[in-house]
Amino acid sequence: MQEQCSERGIDRGADWLKAGGLRPTRQRLALAALLVGDGENRHVTAESLYALTLGTGERVSLATVYNTLRAFCDAGLMNEVVVDGSKSYFDTRVDDHPHFYWEDSHSLTDAPAEELSIASLPRVPEGMEVARVDVVIRLRKA
């Protein structure tokens, strides 16, 4: 967390916002630094990101976190991964890749893409194109 909130982490966050064409407001910078400040990819929920902000002294409401995550997704900086109808995770890694959802811990991690094979996709309706394919592999203890 220290590197995320360091000057270097703030700079990474600012560069990330710039890449998405977003204005670097104080709150966006704080959230961006938490998400990409150390150069690692993250899977967060709005609630987990909000909890991280509490440790920084930055005053950001949960509603602002939700709205900012949506803006980051709209700018192409993150992808939303819906695990079920009520639980969304936000992923800073935006390339196509599968995920493991760990039912016991309610966490989302990247799954090895090189081990996944999708032979084909169904024909899409006329006038439509595939925007993205989400693969979430749910895991629980045997």
Side-chain angles (χ1 to χ4, degrees):
M1 167 104 85
Q2 245 178 8
E3 173 155 355
Q4 292 164 305
C5 296
S6 70
E7 189 172 323
R8 183 175 177 167
I10 298 291
D11 288 345
R12 278 190 185 126
D15 291 343
W16 189 64
L17 292 173
K18 185 177 180 180
L22 293 174
R23 192 168 51 89
T25 65
R26 179 183 54 81
Q27 291 174 323
R28 283 180 182 166
L29 278 170
L31 295 174
L34 289 171
L35 290 166
V36 299
D38 63 0
E40 299 294 320
N41 286 305
R42 298 265 181 294
H43 299 93
V44 299
T45 62
E47 293 81 7
S48 69
L49 184 57
Y50 173 73
L52 283 175
T53 66
L54 298 177
T56 66
E58 185 66 38
R59 296 182 52 88
V60 179
S61 72
L62 182 57
T64 297
V65 172
Y66 272 106
N67 292 336
T68 303
L69 286 169
R70 296 266 178 246
F72 291 169
C73 288
D74 290 346
L77 297 172
M78 302 184 83
N79 282 325
E80 181 178 9
V81 179
V82 179
V83 174
D84 59 39
S86 63
K87 192 70 164 177
S88 288
Y89 289 80
F90 297 87
D91 187 358
T92 57
R93 183 176 161 194
V94 294
D95 66 313
D96 291 331
H97 63 282
H99 291 96
F100 286 135
Y101 177 69
W102 304 80
E103 290 185 344
D104 294 340
S105 62
H106 305 285
S107 60
L108 191 75
T109 60
D110 292 336
E114 64 278 358
E115 295 178 22
L116 177 69
S117 174
I118 299 175
S120 66
L121 296 174
R123 187 174 51 245
V124 297
E126 188 175 327
M128 302 302 292
E129 67 180 8
V130 174
R132 196 171 98 205
V133 174
D134 289 330
V135 175
V136 177
I137 303 159
R138 298 176 74 98
L139 303 174
R140 65 173 169 241
K141 290 189 180 176

